[in-house]
Amino acid sequence: MEALPTVETAIKLGLLPEEFDRICQLLGRTPNFTELCLYSAMWSEHCSYKNSIVWLKQLPKDSPRMLAKAGEENAGIVDLGDGLACAFKIESHNHPSAIEPYQGAATGVGGINRDIFTMGARPIAQLNSLRFGNLNTDRTRWLVRGVVKGIGDYGNAFGVPTVGGEVYFDDCYQINPLVNAFSAGILRTDRIARAIAYGAGNPVFIVGSATGKDGIHGASFASEDISEKSTERLPAVQVGDPFQEKLLLEATLEIIQTGCVIGIQDMGAAGLICSTSEMSAKGKHGMKIWLDRVPTRQSNMKPFEILLSESQERMLVVVQKGKESLIKEIFDKWDLNCAQIGEVIDQDRLLFYMNGELVADVPASSLVVGGGAPQYHREYREPAYYQEYKKFDINSVPDLKSSQEIAQVGKFLIAHPNICSRRWIYEQYDSMVGTANVGSTTPSDAAVVNIKGTDKNIVITVDCNSRYVKADPEQGCAIAVAEAARNIVCTGGQPIAITNNLNFGNPYVPEVYWQFVGSILGMKKACERLGTPVTGGNVSFYNQSTPKSGNGGVEFAVFPTPTIGMLGILEGWQNRMTLHFKQAGDLIYLIGQAQNDIASSEYLYSYRGVKASPAPAFDLETEYALQQSVAAVIGSKLVQSAHDVSEGGLWVCLTESAIHGKRGYQIQLPQDSSIRTDAYLFGESQSRVVVSVSPEKQAAFEALLRQRETPFTLLGKVREDGKIIINGQEITTVEEVTELYEGTLPKYLD
């Protein structure tokens, strides 16, 4: 008879000593090794949100459109009207991608799409948010190539287009890259599938791929710092098969259509134990499971290996008793495994058997969020750098004095890896497969995807400037929400909801946890003001290298990166707004007001080399008013283009519109001595949008903004000849900046 595990065993599995004691109390005995493994996985941060849930509960979750709220299902669901809904979510695959970038990124794409189609929704579009270290290093180039190829190969083969995203580079991501995958799917409101189990005697099936030893303890692996020993954790990285997932998608949607499915859940983090426990707890039932009936890839797999395996392309399905042959016929047709491995029982127990022997007996509710899983109020403390950043004085940086200096900075920024064209990346993705992607050739601030057979379009974007969040978590995260909404508004859409991916360092470091708490507070206030409730998402802590010495504080963590994935709706594709200049002679306006501010700008950080400054100027009420006014001028058909001012400031905004429109521009900077030249052109103060207006619509455009009391400035006009002229001086040409803009990533990565 094997010896029962001790507290030392629990600690090795990632549990705290007090958690081991709590498990003993819940069970009324000492757990066996298999049972302890189950708690280790389910009580890891990645599954239980034990260090974050107390703050996540504060986020706004309600709106008239909400059909599945945060935490209720595999993904959030929002009503689009006319019997249609959108399921969407974002999740991370950071740690696996740091170790094995191709499979790490590919399985991230596979996992997020399974979350969508287990709801009964057909995925129609993907986005991704990527963060890497220094592009001058071989490791970063290896990671970028692997991650991009993994995303492209899986998404292209699976048949769902990647329609947009974001990529940033900073030294803080050198050890810990961030790979956040977003997916959106469409379903009928009367065909929503739930992740639930009830009805004693109803059969439980495992469907899809066979279960192997890949991904075991993947959830626990995602809940620890990256260290030199992390490369030994390759078995914790899952292996994906997009062709198998395509079959699983079709079979899953087909069984949901039959109406005989009680509940269905993807096997993602923590595998079989996660889906059995969460579905049972939600339905206030339990399950009896025979592990020897699970189709496996390797022989003699141990019970804990079968339960914790995160092998991809698998689902747990509970169907109505008597419908067993129907589900088997459908999965046989798609040539997929379909094995009945258990049944629902009318008690709060999960009973796992192996060859007739009971190997684990635990209460389902004891494993999950809202049940027995612990919830902690962690200590948080303002880091010393925060007040230091606030001491930044703009006068310590010399202003730009000449057109030559303006040209030098402008060319530096348009070629910067954080600003330049992402063509090298997105050309490896299929943006058109299986969909009607409206915006593939004419860019907008957000992606627009048509819902086939309708005049409706979803508008989607992912946004976060993590440098802003590092400087001021509350302000920076509010800006991330605001910019996502601004991008949707500039595309002609109406923002309706968000999902989030909260990437932070170690939550046990008080300064890191302070960044997390501040970000939640900023997200809360911005979502409430902009009317974009949170549908769910993912928390990814431990994006932090383990130092060889030192206290392991914020200096070893990534920038706090609360990535915002936002969904908007656009009725009528003809109402979509693009960002490129359309014709010579159009007038160029700035809506909103520039501030004398260069804080946290790419110009200050990268060109001037000043790393310590606060977040850029931002006021939530000003932002709300601006978005309402931009929506009004777009809705009234008074503008030709719209593009929000973000990274790189006004200069990059104008120049991107020129590059994509293949037309030049001329502008005159206001003679306002209170705003410096570098602040006006390269500062990143928020709540500004550049639009172009036909001369015949100038009067109506200005009248509408005056009526709304929205500040605006006539900057200049679009040119046919490709010259870029500021204050009467030719700075550069569209041809020259296009070469810089398009040439950066190929230079590093080809």
Side-chain angles (χ1 to χ4, degrees), residues 673-709:
S673 59
S674 68
I675 299 184
R676 296 164 35 134
T677 299
D678 60 357
Y680 201 88
L681 282 174
F682 306 117
E684 297 176 15
S685 60
Q686 298 296 294
S687 311
R688 291 180 292 156
V689 171
V690 168
V691 297
S692 59
V693 179
S694 299
E696 61 268 22
K697 294 189 176 178
Q698 178 180 16
F701 168 81
E702 292 190 358
L704 181 54
L705 290 183
R706 285 196 188 96
Q707 178 189 338
R708 301 185 64 88
E709 299 181 349

Side-chain angles (χ1 to χ4, degrees), residues 147-294:
V147 165
V148 170
K149 186 166 175 53
I151 292 169
D153 284 2
Y154 201 104
N156 296 353
F158 180 54
V160 177
T162 300
V163 298
E166 59 173 5
V167 186
Y168 284 96
F169 300 90
D170 192 275
D171 289 347
C172 74
Y173 301 109
Q174 190 67 27
I175 303 297
N176 291 268
L178 302 184
V179 177
N180 295 176
F182 172 107
S183 182
I186 301 300
L187 71 162
R188 281 175 37 183
T189 53
D190 60 351
R191 293 282 172 85
I192 297 173
R194 305 286 183 182
I196 194 168
Y198 58 83
N202 281 330
V204 179
F205 286 84
I206 189 170
V207 300
S209 294
T211 297
K213 293 188 178 183
D214 55 316
I216 293 172
H217 279 299
S220 303
F221 173 49
S223 301
E224 61 185 40
D225 291 354
I226 290 283
S227 68
E228 290 177 354
K229 290 189 174 182
S230 294
T231 52
E232 299 169 10
R233 300 298 305 273
L234 267 172
V237 179
Q238 308 91 331
V239 178
D241 181 347
F243 300 103
Q244 191 86 339
E245 176 132 328
K246 175 62 175 171
L247 299 177
L248 185 58
L249 161 70
E250 299 301 339
T252 299
L253 294 182
E254 189 170 335
I255 63 163
I256 290 171
Q257 295 288 328
T258 67
C260 74
V261 173
I262 299 291
I264 181 168
Q265 183 162 328
D266 159 46
M267 281 186 209
L272 181 58
I273 185 55
C274 184
S275 47
T276 53
S277 60
E278 290 185 347
M279 290 175 72
S280 296
K282 188 178 295 180
K284 294 182 170 54
H285 277 65
M287 291 183 188
K288 186 183 291 186
I289 300 290
W290 294 276
L291 296 174
D292 46 290
R293 298 182 186 177
V294 175

Side-chain angles (χ1 to χ4, degrees), residues 538-691:
N538 174 237
V539 176
S540 175
F541 281 137
Y542 303 97
N543 295 289
Q544 181 160 337
S545 57
T546 302
K548 293 178 182 175
S549 61
N551 62 8
V554 288
E555 65 266 32
F556 299 106
V558 299
F559 284 167
T561 310
T563 306
I564 303 299
M566 188 172 284
L567 172 74
I569 187 167
L570 172 64
E571 301 283 355
W573 70 264
Q574 70 278 5
N575 294 319
R576 170 176 169 263
M577 180 53 60
T578 54
L579 64 82
H580 64 291
F581 291 146
K582 305 297 188 297
Q583 60 190 38
D586 280 352
L587 304 170
I588 301 170
Y589 281 88
L590 175 67
I591 306 178
Q593 216 156 13
Q595 307 291 322
N596 192 44
D597 179 49
I598 57 174
S600 284
S601 63
E602 199 69 64
Y603 158 71
L604 181 67
Y605 188 83
S606 296
Y607 185 80
R608 293 295 191 185
V610 177
K611 308 298 184 187
S613 66
F618 174 71
D619 177 76
L620 190 52
E621 290 304 319
T622 301
E623 177 71 35
Y624 177 79
L626 170 97
Q627 292 189 20
Q628 299 299 305
S629 293
V630 171
V633 295
I634 292 175
S636 300
K637 307 287 189 186
L638 296 176
V639 299
Q640 295 271 67
S641 67
H643 191 18
D644 88 309
V645 177
S646 56
E647 286 82 10
L650 178 65
W651 154 263
V652 166
C653 179
L654 290 163
T655 304
E656 286 178 340
S657 293
I659 289 170
H660 291 294
K662 297 181 173 60
R663 290 173 175 82
Y665 64 85
Q666 62 185 58
I667 64 167
Q668 192 73 28
L669 301 185
Q671 301 302 305
D672 183 350
S673 59
S674 68
I675 299 184
R676 296 164 35 134
T677 299
D678 60 357
Y680 201 88
L681 282 174
F682 306 117
E684 297 176 15
S685 60
Q686 298 296 294
S687 311
R688 291 180 292 156
V689 171
V690 168
V691 297

Side-chain angles (χ1 to χ4, degrees), residues 28 42 67 156 167 224 226 230 296 338 362 387 392 409-410 422 444 532 573 641 644 652 704 745:
M42 290 303 296
L67 299 177
N156 296 353
V167 186
E224 61 185 40
I226 290 283
S230 294
T296 56
C338 177
V362 295
Q387 295 302 329
F392 170 71
V409 174
R422 274 57 179 130
S444 298
T532 54
W573 70 264
S641 67
D644 88 309
V652 166
L704 181 54
L745 289 187

Side-chain angles (χ1 to χ4, degrees), residues 399-433:
D399 194 7
L400 305 174
K401 301 290 190 239
S402 66
S403 57
Q404 287 80 10
E405 281 187 291
I406 291 173
Q408 187 176 341
V409 174
K411 292 173 189 176
F412 172 87
L413 289 175
I414 207 69
H416 193 281
N418 286 344
I419 289 172
C420 70
S421 169
R422 274 57 179 130
R423 183 186 300 275
W424 184 90
I425 294 173
Y426 67 67
E427 283 188 342
Q428 297 185 53
Y429 304 153
D430 191 333
S431 65
M432 297 301 290
V433 60

Side-chain angles (χ1 to χ4, degrees), residues 385 470 473 504 510-520 554 558 560:
Y385 78 78
K470 167 81 183 292
F504 292 83
E511 291 82 0
V512 168
Y513 202 68
W514 175 86
Q515 295 174 332
F516 171 75
V517 172
S519 296
I520 294 293
V554 288
V558 299

Side-chain angles (χ1 to χ4, degrees), residues 51 62 81 108 132 311 313 345-346 408 416 520 522 531 567 672 741:
N51 294 313
D62 290 308
F132 300 102
S311 293
E313 294 90 34
I345 59 176
D346 194 13
Q408 187 176 341
H416 193 281
I520 294 293
L567 172 74
D672 183 350
Y741 184 69

